[in-house]
Each structure stands twice: as C-alpha cells, then as structure tokens.
Amino acid sequence: MKKIPGAEKAELQELPQIKERISFLYLERCLINRQDSSISITDERGTVQVPVASLSVLLLGPGTTITHRAMELIGDAGTSILWIGEHGVRYYAFGRPLTHSASLLLMQAKMVTNTKSRLAVARKMYQMRFGQEDVSQMTMQQLRGREGARVRKIYRECAKKNKVEWDGREYDPDDFEGGSPVNQALSAGTACLYGLAHSVIAALGCSPGLGFVHTGHERSFVYDIADLYKAEIVIPLAFEMAADPSEDIGGDMRRAMRDKIVETHLLERMVRDIRYLLIGKADTEVSYADVVNLWDEKNGFVRNGISYGKDLKLAAGYGKLLEDGDDSDDRDNID
C-alpha cells in the first residue's frame, strides 16, 4: 500500500475531549495552512503553528484564507470552524463530531418530537437559570414571562453597578459601529458564546437545529444552550467592558470572554449540562464506539455486516423471493 506523506490521522480516542480544549481562537487577515498535525498561521508579522486538536472552535474573521489541507486536518480533529463577519455578527459551519455514536442525537430527536418530554426538557432549562424556584407546573408562556423579567432585571442591575447608560438591547447586524458600546460588547460576546455552544453540540453528535425552547431555525439548540449562560457570563462582562470602552471593544470583549470561559470551566459545564438535559446524567463521558447497526421495527436493531436471507433466492428477472427448493421461474410464463 502506498504510504501517504505527512502525519498519520489520529483516532478519535486519541484526540483531546471537548471539555479539555481551548475555547476558541479568533483569526483575521491571514493565511491558514497545514504543517504536519498543526495549522500554520501566516500574516505580515510572520508564521506561528497551532495544534488544532487543542482548539474547540476557530473563528475566522475578514481577510482569512484557508487551504484544503488545513480544512482536512480541522475536520479530522473535530474542531468547529466558523466563518464570521466583521466584529463576529454572523457565523456558519462546524466540524465533525468527536464521537461515532448517535445515541445523544437519537435521544434528542425522540424527546423533541414528543410534547410531554419536550416540555420537561424546556422546564429543566429554565430551572437551571431560576435556581431554587419550582417551575414544574409552569406553562411555556409563564416560563417566557419569568425569563424576560429576570433578564431585564439583570440588565438594570449591571447598568447601575457599572454606571453605564442603558436604553435596551438594540443593534443592527449590518452596522456594528452604530450601536452603543455596551450593545457592541453584547453582540461580540454573544457571538463567541454561540460559537462555543455550536462547537460543543457538534462535538457531542447532537443536532444544532433540534431545539426545545427555540424552534424552526438551523441553530435552535445552539440558542437554547447559550441562553443557559448568557445572563451569568456575557451580560455582566459586556457592561464591565462598556464602563471604560476602548476603540476595539469587540476585540476586548472576545479576549475577556476567552478568559471567563476558562475561569468558569464553561466547556466542561456545557458537555455536562447537555448530557443532563438529554439523558439525565450530569457527566462528561463521551462514547467512541464505532458501531453501526441496522434498524428493526420489532427488535430495535440487528447487527450490521451480516448477510441476511441466505435461505432465500431471487427469481430471475423480477426480484421475486423464492424459498429453497422452489425452481419455478417467472420467465417461463412469458409469451
């Protein structure tokens, strides 16, 4: 067999788990290539190498150019890659899961398509935000009202604490600079949080589009998960940045978010919380089993890789199944 030059592809079990990775790396105006098992990043200041398997997500801003070989490595490493607009107001795309198992995806699909179980998961999401308050009997309308009041209160408290003028969450995705400093910081921080949530969801093999509170969008589950931490992390940090804003408040907010994600162990928390929401187990275990089965309507599944129906043969010409010993041939009945 011809040996392919370069480093060998790592097995999934050999890659760092999502909870152990660096949260994100933002790049702009550079060339991204591959050097063995790392990506090389080149701009006017020179070239640096980054072990891509240590990253959760790459945020590629304006002016970035990336090679096919670099994308191949990023995909194999299970690292999410998001092309984002200037200041991070838009993003798309993600890498392959860090697991071969579809167990979490199947559970997610099962629970989101049943009204009773979907409501139960949605209540668990709100319960995680409301603390000790009992939400077990609340309707979705009541939960939305409670959440709206909670977030407005947090905005007011953060504005008062940091002495920042607050007139509400207003922003134009096409005019980042037109927003107030605190709204700019909120937009930049929220983009980072969405990117991180998207990468964890993809790494665990779940669907970004099957949301429980949000619905109808390709990133509904991303918004569900990000909302668990937005009031705790993004909002207070944005008001801190806006209290003494620099000319690059978006960049400052990204760097502050990266530090806060490390400080709060957010990657590990996201993995644990997603598993808790879907299967009731608050752990970070990820299955690497490379198993493919065949679906069966009676038994659930049967083994793959087996030649079934050895006691049957096809009638010549029409694909009709014949039992052993039946030598009839439909072709004999043709005029």
Side-chain angles (χ1 to χ4, degrees):
M1 180 182 294
K2 181 179 178 181
K3 182 176 176 59
I4 300 175
E8 294 185 3
K9 177 182 175 180
E11 296 293 330
L12 284 182
Q13 297 92 326
E14 300 173 331
L15 297 171
Q17 295 185 33
I18 190 70
K19 65 177 182 177
E20 300 167 344
R21 297 189 175 207
I22 299 170
S23 54
F24 63 86
L25 177 63
Y26 173 79
L27 302 172
E28 65 180 16
R29 296 176 177 81
C30 62
L31 171 64
I32 305 167
N33 209 330
R34 176 176 181 171
Q35 181 66 44
D36 297 326
S37 294
S38 300
I39 57 170
S40 63
I41 305 165
T42 304
D43 65 7
E44 58 186 10
R45 296 167 295 180
T47 300
V48 295
Q49 287 183 238
V50 176
V52 71
S54 67
L55 297 173
S56 173
V57 57
L58 269 176
L59 300 174
L60 303 187
T64 50
T65 301
I66 190 166
T67 66
H68 182 278
R69 289 285 288 160
M71 281 301 306
E72 178 186 28
L73 176 64
I74 291 166
D76 288 342
T79 300
S80 296
I81 184 163
L82 309 178
W83 278 267
I84 62 177
E86 194 166 7
H87 307 296
V89 294
R90 292 188 177 88
Y91 77 96
Y92 60 94
F94 58 89
R96 62 176 294 182
L98 271 176
T99 173
H100 289 303
S101 173
S103 58
L104 277 179
L105 174 60
L106 292 172
M107 182 59 70
Q108 180 187 10
K110 178 181 178 180
M111 299 186 78
V112 81
T113 50
N114 178 279
T115 300
K116 185 176 181 180
S117 59
R118 182 172 186 170
L119 179 58
V121 173
R123 283 172 173 163
K124 286 167 73 174
M125 288 180 169
Y126 282 112
Q127 184 71 70
M128 292 167 68
R129 287 177 264 181
F130 294 164
Q132 300 301 316
E133 184 175 350
D134 182 16
V135 302
S136 60
Q137 302 302 316
M138 288 188 182
T139 64
M140 289 301 296
Q141 181 179 5
Q142 291 171 329
L143 290 168
R144 287 193 298 269
R146 286 286 298 107
E147 173 67 358
R150 183 183 77 98
V151 171
R152 286 192 297 272
K153 179 181 178 183
I154 292 172
Y155 277 133
R156 290 194 300 269
E157 290 176 347
C158 289
K160 182 178 180 180
K161 177 181 177 181
N162 294 279
K163 299 180 181 179
V164 173
E165 184 178 347
W166 176 246
D167 295 323
R169 181 74 172 110
E170 297 180 0
Y171 69 100
D172 181 354
D174 298 318
D175 185 17
F176 180 83
E177 301 290 350
S180 64
V182 67
N183 273 298
Q184 291 181 32
L186 285 167
S187 294
T190 300
C192 294
L193 186 61
Y194 286 164
L196 190 67
H198 202 147
S199 69
V200 173
I201 289 166
L204 293 177
C206 298
S207 169
L210 296 181
F212 292 84
V213 175
H214 295 83
T215 189
H217 193 274
E218 62 176 322
R219 294 195 293 270
S220 293
F221 195 46
V222 175
Y223 302 145
D224 280 359
I225 299 303
D227 277 356
L228 298 178
Y229 319 103
K230 190 181 296 182
E232 173 193 348
I233 295 175
V234 176
I235 296 176
L237 199 57
F239 278 90
E240 289 179 23
M241 294 292 104
D244 185 21
S246 69
E247 293 184 359
D248 184 22
I249 193 170
D252 288 344
M253 184 65 182
R254 282 195 304 271
R255 288 182 283 273
M257 277 290 296
R258 191 168 56 203
D259 293 340
K260 184 64 72 172
I261 288 166
V262 173
E263 176 187 324
T264 58
H265 302 280
L266 189 56
L267 274 169
E268 185 173 350
R269 288 174 60 190
M270 280 188 177
V271 175
R272 185 173 62 244
D273 290 344
I274 290 172
R275 288 180 58 81
Y276 164 69
L277 289 167
L278 297 181
I279 62 176
K281 294 175 63 177
D283 60 35
T284 57
E285 180 182 351
V286 177
S287 172
Y288 294 103
D290 191 0
V291 178
V292 180
N293 293 307
L294 302 176
W295 177 75
D296 184 85
E297 81 279 17
K298 295 180 179 179
N299 301 313
F301 65 87
V302 295
R303 289 179 58 192
N304 181 47
I306 296 177
S307 179
Y308 293 98
K310 290 183 178 180
D311 56 337
L312 301 173
K313 62 181 180 180
L314 291 176
Y318 295 99
K320 177 183 177 182
L321 288 173
L322 302 177
E323 300 292 342
D324 279 348
D326 184 354
D327 294 327
S328 62
D329 193 330
D330 282 357
R331 290 179 299 178
D332 294 339
N333 298 321
I334 300 177
D335 293 333

